[in-house]
Amino acid sequence: MKTKYLLAFIFILITTSGMAQKSLFEDVKMSIDTLDINTPYSDFGPAIIENELIFSSFTDDIGKKSKNQNKAFYDLFSSDLNQIGNIITPRRKLTTMISQYHEGPLTFCEKTGELFLTQSNWENPEELNIVFKKRNIRLGIVVYEKTALTWQFKEKYPFNSSEYSIAHPTINATGDTLIFVSDMPGGYGMTDLYYSAKVNGEWQDPVNLGPKVNSAGKEMFPFLNIDGSLVFSSDGHGGVGSLDLFFIDFPIRDYSARSTFGDQINSSADDFGLVIHPNQRSGYFSSNREGGAGDDDIYFLKMEDYRFNIVTLSNYTKRALTGTNVNIIDEDGKVAATGQSDETGKVSVKLKVDKKYTLIASLNNYLDKVADLDLTNEGDFVEKNQKVYLDPEFMLTGQVVDILGNIPIPDAMLIVSDGSKADTIYADYQGQFSHYIEPDKDYKVDVTAYNFFGTEVEFNTLGMKPGAVDYLVQLNSLDAGSRIELKNIYYDLAKWNIRPDAAAELDRLVSVLEEYPDLQIRLESHTDSRGADDFNMELSRKRSESAFQYLVSKGIDPDRLEHVGFGETQLVNKCEDGVNCTEEEHAENRRTVVEILKAKVTRRSKGNIFYF
């Protein structure tokens, strides 16, 4: 009993919160066509499972319909569907779920792989030889699981009964809410719709959906659409004919209102069992209206209009963008729809099918987004929630790679700072990164990665036009044999003391040596060609020794360090004695290089991005 009360309380909560939804069926035109799969007998209960239409029909087997015993048995048949929802193959009989008597209607949950099927309660001997259409037949719901090759029986719905019927199931997308029809005692009329929730793997007691759905008559054939609508048939709410089709928001809230399809679908006959294709552009229902092939026939329903949502999102944060102006232009250059996104980033639009459109989305501080919308049969499928990603006006983008071969470095960490705030981002598995930046600011980006010597990138966005600042960040590995040129190690002319700007780079080296205690290095100092050879050799020696002493002063064990000066003996360009060079060219030769002599963590090969 406690579970029942808790379930009722949960239902009260979900019925008193939220806002009314805009249904797929509101204010759209629909067309109806007959189908070749119908027979002179009864065909009904369509269900769409992946790329198949499955429905109930009298069996084709000789002897299954017996005039002497007055029995009529329904089996399951299927036909293949294309992407738009059109039938493309003749009907064929399904054999894996055939019982001794009746099958259908059914529903399928793609997430759980479970199929919920209506079957006769043929296990009760008292019910043998009862005509299907007689009211005292007992129906129940059985569950099948999809396997690689077939459907396999799993279990019966626990609230099946020999005293009343439970049938016509529909399941929600998550597989934890089942709606069905039943004539169990205590309802509003002849048959009512109920829902049952699955909690901790167990189905809870059925709950009546109440008077907004149920009446003193018959409510049957429920269908939960992905737009949040519950579709059902009823003969107790008035309408065009006997059984008519209605829809209402689900979960049912205080402000939910039942709506009818009117004479677009409903006729003076019975109209029931409507299901909508996942593309939300077509569907199927059953009717015994005039002009069909037999008793009950299945009809194809096509939306002449297509109602869906444009969802605007930041391509950087992937979050919804509020206030985005959306304009949709048709092939004749006319505005077909317009709107502004709400707090969830959505703009609801209604467009004519079989036409092509151009979408333009604009928002301050973002680049305009132009996209094609093709609602023709040949076009790409347009989802119920069509996502449109807008790029910020200013972006930092790039890739972090190993300087040896430009091999991507996954998961590199980048700290992006503008002086007032710092954001930490990570490169993806291809070493690529992106980050929203602001105009008219100075930025520093500190880049680090495991087993690599980090670096710093500086740039500014002063006067920058909207777009991207793109960098290829190359890092040196900390493998034995690697040679790393330290940036910004400058000395005053003819001096060797460590200046503050050089200390910053040496501090990075200190951090690396502390993080990787097995590293042993050699400091090499080089000069340009200006000055005497002996003077430059001595100057480079003193400069490398100064760097050595600086590291030792920071607590680095001197046994891990070597230092040497090479003077002007290892120039990296043409600027030898007597060659006229610019100051920038001479500066290339005044450098400090760190050679990794010993490292515990090394790569198996220089061309391998995996580290050991």
Side-chain angles (χ1 to χ4, degrees):
M1 293 298 293
K2 289 183 178 180
T3 302
K4 184 175 181 180
Y5 291 140
L6 175 61
L7 190 62
F9 176 70
I10 293 173
F11 189 70
I12 290 172
L13 287 180
I14 63 177
T15 58
T16 56
S17 62
M19 298 297 292
Q21 304 178 64
K22 189 72 171 178
S23 171
L24 164 73
F25 313 114
E26 294 181 38
D27 190 30
V28 296
K29 295 180 180 179
M30 308 176 191
S31 61
I32 297 172
D33 290 320
T34 57
L35 297 171
D36 293 336
I37 61 171
N38 293 311
T39 68
Y41 304 107
S42 179
D43 305 284
F44 78 104
I48 298 172
I49 300 180
E50 296 175 337
N51 62 344
E52 284 186 283
L53 180 72
I54 299 180
F55 55 95
S56 298
S57 180
F58 283 152
T59 179
D60 294 331
D61 292 346
I62 298 176
K64 285 296 290 278
K65 186 180 179 184
S66 170
K67 292 182 179 180
N68 294 332
Q69 297 182 8
N70 192 29
K71 291 188 295 185
F73 298 103
Y74 287 90
D75 286 337
L76 296 178
F77 292 79
S78 73
S79 293
D80 293 340
L81 303 176
N82 62 14
Q83 184 183 27
I84 303 302
N86 294 313
I87 291 176
I88 56 176
T89 62
R91 56 188 268 159
R92 57 182 178 271
K93 188 174 181 179
L94 297 180
T95 59
T96 55
M97 292 173 284
I98 298 300
S99 68
Q100 296 182 27
Y101 299 98
H102 308 290
E103 280 81 32
L106 55 84
T107 185
F108 176 67
C109 179
E110 185 175 356
K111 180 178 180 180
T112 64
E114 294 176 315
L115 182 144
F116 298 79
L117 172 65
T118 304
Q119 279 188 345
S120 299
N121 186 9
W122 55 270
E123 292 182 350
N124 189 335
E126 296 179 0
E127 296 175 352
L128 292 177
N129 300 332
I130 295 179
V131 179
F132 180 71
K133 289 190 174 182
K134 284 187 177 180
R135 187 169 149 67
N136 60 353
I137 187 73
R138 304 306 181 212
L139 302 174
I141 296 174
V142 294
V143 184
Y144 284 80
E145 283 185 315
K146 186 176 182 181
T147 65
L149 299 177
T150 186
W151 295 96
Q152 183 174 356
F153 175 81
K154 179 181 179 182
E155 61 189 2
K156 295 184 177 182
Y157 179 62
F159 296 101
N160 290 343
S161 173
S162 61
E163 298 180 359
Y164 50 82
S165 290
I166 288 180
H168 303 179
T170 182
I171 191 77
N172 68 342
T174 53
D176 54 16
T177 300
L178 184 71
I179 297 178
F180 54 85
V181 62
S182 179
D183 58 353
M184 68 177 64
Y188 288 82
M190 298 177 66
T191 58
D192 281 6
L193 296 186
Y194 294 79
Y195 86 94
S196 178
K198 179 178 277 189
V199 179
N200 297 325
E202 295 185 2
W203 289 108
Q204 307 301 300
D205 291 351
V207 178
N208 193 290
L209 285 182
K212 290 190 175 183
V213 170
N214 295 315
S215 69
K218 293 181 292 185
E219 279 69 47
M220 310 173 73
F221 298 99
F223 172 71
L224 278 172
N225 193 32
I226 59 175
D227 75 336
S229 299
L230 170 63
V231 182
F232 63 96
S233 295
S234 173
D235 63 1
H237 293 300
V240 180
S242 182
L243 279 176
D244 276 356
L245 286 160
F246 298 85
F247 62 93
I248 192 171
D249 288 346
F250 186 83
I252 299 170
R253 303 176 172 90
D254 289 342
Y255 50 79
S256 296
R258 182 182 61 252
S259 300
T260 179
F261 286 90
D263 58 7
Q264 281 199 93
I265 299 179
N266 291 321
S267 68
S268 59
D270 290 333
D271 303 290
F272 57 97
L274 173 65
V275 296
I276 300 298
H277 193 281
N279 66 21
Q280 301 293 278
R281 292 167 61 177
S282 61
Y284 294 88
F285 72 99
S286 302
S287 178
N288 61 357
R289 64 185 63 190
E290 293 184 2
D295 185 359
D296 298 316
D297 289 313
I298 298 173
Y299 291 84
F300 179 65
L301 175 70
K302 181 180 178 182
M303 308 294 179
E304 300 296 333
D305 301 323
Y306 183 45
R307 182 179 294 283
F308 63 106
N309 296 316
I310 302 296
V311 184
T312 59
L313 304 161
S314 168
N315 199 27
Y316 166 56
T317 65
K318 311 304 179 185
R319 295 177 181 173
L321 294 176
T322 303
T324 305
N325 293 309
V326 174
N327 292 281
I328 299 178
I329 314 299
D330 65 17
E331 295 174 283
D332 299 324
K334 297 180 180 179
V335 176
T338 184
Q340 191 173 75
S341 63
D342 61 16
E343 66 277 4
T344 65
K346 292 182 180 179
V347 178
S348 180
V349 298
K350 182 184 72 172
L351 300 175
K352 296 290 184 182
V353 296
D354 299 328
K355 295 187 70 173
K356 297 180 180 180
Y357 301 88
T358 299
L359 178 148
I360 304 172
S362 58
L363 181 65
N364 287 340
N365 299 321
Y366 283 82
L367 299 174
D368 288 353
K369 182 71 173 184
V370 179
D372 293 328
L373 292 174
D374 189 347
L375 299 187
T376 65
N377 288 352
E378 293 76 23
D380 293 332
F381 170 62
V382 176
E383 296 182 349
K384 180 66 177 175
N385 290 306
Q386 182 71 17
K387 296 179 180 179
V388 177
Y389 291 93
L390 278 69
D391 293 314
E393 287 187 321
F394 300 93
M395 291 288 294
L396 169 66
T397 62
Q399 186 179 30
V400 184
V401 299
D402 186 338
I403 197 172
L404 184 62
N406 283 343
I407 300 170
I409 302 175
D411 301 321
M413 184 175 73
L414 300 92
I415 300 176
V416 185
S417 173
D418 63 4
S420 60
K421 67 178 185 299
D423 297 316
T424 300
I425 62 174
Y426 292 89
D428 63 17
Y429 72 100
Q430 292 181 328
Q432 296 178 339
F433 60 88
S434 63
H435 184 69
Y436 173 62
I437 55 178
E438 299 176 27
D440 302 322
K441 288 196 173 184
D442 294 310
Y443 282 93
K444 289 185 179 181
V445 184
D446 188 75
V447 186
T448 57
Y450 176 70
N451 200 43
F452 282 88
F453 190 80
T455 189
E456 186 177 78
V457 176
E458 296 185 25
F459 67 94
N460 68 72
T461 56
L462 301 177
M464 176 183 170
K465 295 181 180 180
V469 178
D470 191 76
Y471 279 96
L472 179 67
V473 182
Q474 296 176 311
L475 301 183
N476 290 275
S477 72
L478 298 176
D479 302 326
S482 292
R483 293 175 57 80
I484 305 167
E485 183 176 337
L486 299 182
K487 298 179 180 179
N488 303 320
I489 302 296
Y490 301 123
Y491 300 88
D492 292 328
L493 183 61
K495 294 185 178 180
W496 53 87
N497 56 292
I498 302 298
R499 292 181 0 182
D501 52 359
E505 187 73 358
L506 289 173
D507 286 339
R508 181 185 294 277
L509 181 56
V510 170
S511 298
V512 169
L513 291 169
E514 291 174 341
E515 184 176 358
Y516 300 91
D518 293 293
L519 287 182
Q520 295 183 16
I521 66 169
R522 177 169 62 201
L523 294 164
E524 300 177 356
S525 183
H526 302 264
T527 69
D528 60 36
S529 62
R530 293 176 296 182
D533 292 352
D534 292 344
F535 176 82
N536 284 337
M537 183 64 73
E538 180 65 15
L539 179 62
S540 65
R541 187 190 63 79
K542 290 180 178 179
R543 286 177 173 175
S544 65
E545 185 175 4
S546 293
F548 168 83
Q549 294 296 339
Y550 183 88
L551 298 179
V552 172
S553 72
K554 295 294 183 177
I556 303 301
D557 186 350
D559 290 338
R560 300 173 58 193
L561 309 175
E562 295 180 13
H563 61 92
V564 64
F566 288 99
E568 58 180 279
T569 62
Q570 296 184 8
L571 301 177
V572 295
N573 56 26
K574 63 180 181 179
C575 300
E576 300 177 352
D577 290 338
V579 177
N580 187 22
C581 291
T582 64
E583 180 58 34
E584 290 75 13
E585 290 172 322
H586 282 300
E588 293 176 6
N589 291 309
R590 299 195 303 271
R591 66 197 189 279
T592 298
V593 176
V594 173
E595 182 176 358
I596 308 296
L597 300 177
K598 183 179 180 182
K600 183 176 182 179
V601 180
T602 59
R603 288 177 294 180
R604 183 168 295 175
S605 68
K606 290 295 184 181
N608 197 332
I609 64 172
F610 300 99
Y611 301 99
F612 299 87

